[in-house]
Amino acid sequence: MLRRFAGDRSGANAVEFALVAAPFFVLLVGLFEICMIFIAMTTLEHGAAEAARRIRTGELQQSGASADSFKALVCGSTFGILDCDDRLKVDVRVFDDFGAAQGDDPVQDGEVNDDDLQFDAGQGNDIVLARVFYEWQIITPVIGAPLSNMSGDRRLLQASVAFRNEPFGD
């Protein structure tokens, strides 16, 4: 009876599939999430470039520039893919030359430090660095730790645009 039980192979495929299925589906969901992160990054870069164009031409400054108006322009160019309410942060600064146009890391203790973020769109011919940050919540449990750069299995996505404003105004 023991020999007959050991030689019985019915159900072996089901057991093998059960052993392989869990890691396969985790990898499949992880791959899908990485693709979504790349799509979100591309969309964020597009939104930052489109909103920065309004600063570069002086349109935003002449209509009353604010961080909220810049944020609304970025969100308007993301095709509704990103949830812009609390997850999107902007930092726009004026610099003396392009070599100095570097921003500090906004992540401190696993969170974005809002106190370090500024909004100064500048005037005509100013050199401006516009940075946009988005907090992406990672949902795949296995890849959450390696992909996250913030606390709570979140990844900070960033898009930057450096440019010289056109000579607008006086």
Side-chain angles (χ1 to χ4, degrees), residues 46-93:
H46 172 73
E50 289 296 316
R53 182 178 174 276
R54 303 289 169 80
I55 292 175
R56 186 176 329 134
T57 60
E59 180 182 340
L60 192 63
Q61 291 89 324
Q62 293 169 355
S63 65
S66 71
D68 290 333
S69 59
F70 183 73
K71 184 177 171 180
L73 287 171
V74 172
C75 289
S77 297
T78 60
F79 312 110
I81 292 175
L82 303 178
D83 174 25
C84 295
D85 293 336
D86 295 329
R87 294 181 178 188
L88 186 72
K89 316 270 188 208
V90 297
D91 183 44
V92 179
R93 301 176 190 214

Side-chain angles (χ1 to χ4, degrees), residues 82-164:
L82 303 178
D83 174 25
C84 295
D85 293 336
D86 295 329
R87 294 181 178 188
L88 186 72
K89 316 270 188 208
V90 297
D91 183 44
V92 179
R93 301 176 190 214
V94 174
F95 291 91
D96 294 331
D97 58 45
F98 282 105
Q102 298 177 4
D104 298 330
D105 185 11
V107 178
Q108 295 175 356
D109 298 325
E111 298 292 328
V112 174
N113 186 359
D114 292 337
D115 296 335
D116 289 344
L117 303 180
Q118 303 174 10
F119 186 82
D120 181 7
Q123 299 302 317
N125 292 319
D126 282 344
I127 295 172
V128 178
L129 174 64
R131 300 186 306 162
V132 180
F133 306 102
Y134 185 78
E135 298 175 12
W136 182 272
Q137 181 65 47
I138 298 173
I139 59 171
T140 309
V142 175
I143 68 167
L147 277 182
S148 65
N149 59 1
M150 297 178 66
S151 62
D153 284 340
R154 292 177 297 156
R155 176 149 188 91
L156 187 66
L157 307 180
Q158 175 181 341
S160 301
V161 182
F163 54 91
R164 182 182 298 273

